[in-house]
Amino acid sequence: MAGSAFPLCKTSFLFCLSGYLNVTGLDFSKEQLSVASSRQHLRAKACYKNIEWVEGNALELPFPGSYFDAITIGYGLRNVVDKPKAMREMYRVVKPGCRICVLDFNKSAQPLTTSFQEWMIDNIVVPVATGYGLGKDYEYLRSSINEFLTDGFIF
């Protein structure tokens, strides 16, 4: 059975259907999709040929209900304005019994871990990014982590 998958460029969703893997990348930014598409064409492996790029909104996914076998989002949910709505949309389009995986930083309940994480961001991540001219792109991480979902989150 043919399948499809779906990674959002910057938001990095990945939706997969069973069978061979087809990927549909979705982002609200036409510019991000253009960058992703140009990078895709630089790849030689056959699996990169199965990616289709779609402009769309994570809060109103342009797919029917129960469509995907799996959904992942890596370091992107933090950038969505309405996290509960985005999670409901992912839940709507994933098939019953299938998985949604969210990969991201979260705030720790352990003070030592929190202190270490904040130190790493302030003293390594942001300074290194700044050295590459990307400091502004990473300065939000610390506050974003403090505001991010915890395991008590209900959508």
Side-chain angles (χ1 to χ4, degrees), residues 7-150:
L8 272 63
C9 307
K10 195 162 189 171
T11 352
S12 305
F13 283 96
L14 177 62
F15 298 84
C16 301
L17 282 174
S18 23
Y20 69 89
L21 182 66
N22 289 318
V23 177
T24 303
L26 178 118
D27 198 286
F28 65 91
S29 168
K30 189 173 273 193
E31 292 78 21
Q32 288 290 339
L33 292 168
S34 178
V35 169
S37 178
S38 67
R39 289 179 181 172
Q40 170 190 0
H41 297 298
L42 298 175
R43 307 289 186 203
K45 292 183 179 179
C47 62
Y48 293 106
K49 308 296 185 234
N50 295 337
I51 303 173
E52 175 189 5
W53 303 102
V54 175
E55 188 175 354
N57 186 342
L59 300 178
E60 296 175 7
L61 295 172
F63 304 102
S66 301
Y67 190 71
F68 297 104
D69 288 328
I71 299 173
T72 68
I73 180 168
Y75 305 108
L77 190 58
R78 71 179 53 253
N79 298 317
V80 176
V81 176
D82 188 343
K83 292 165 187 59
K85 185 172 183 182
M87 291 297 298
R88 286 191 300 272
E89 272 297 279
M90 286 187 275
Y91 185 74
R92 180 184 67 78
V93 300
V94 71
K95 290 178 183 176
C98 292
R99 305 270 181 183
I100 299 172
C101 299
V102 177
L103 172 66
D104 217 312
F105 293 109
N106 69 320
K107 59 183 164 190
S108 174
Q110 304 297 319
L112 183 61
T113 303
T114 299
S115 295
F116 179 71
Q117 188 175 41
E118 290 174 350
W119 183 88
M120 290 288 293
I121 290 168
D122 293 343
N123 295 288
I124 296 177
V125 175
V126 174
V128 169
T130 301
Y132 286 97
L134 302 170
K136 295 283 184 207
D137 294 337
Y138 290 88
E139 287 176 351
Y140 80 101
L141 277 179
R142 188 172 183 191
S143 63
S144 178
I145 289 168
N146 288 328
E147 297 169 6
F148 198 64
L149 311 172
T150 63

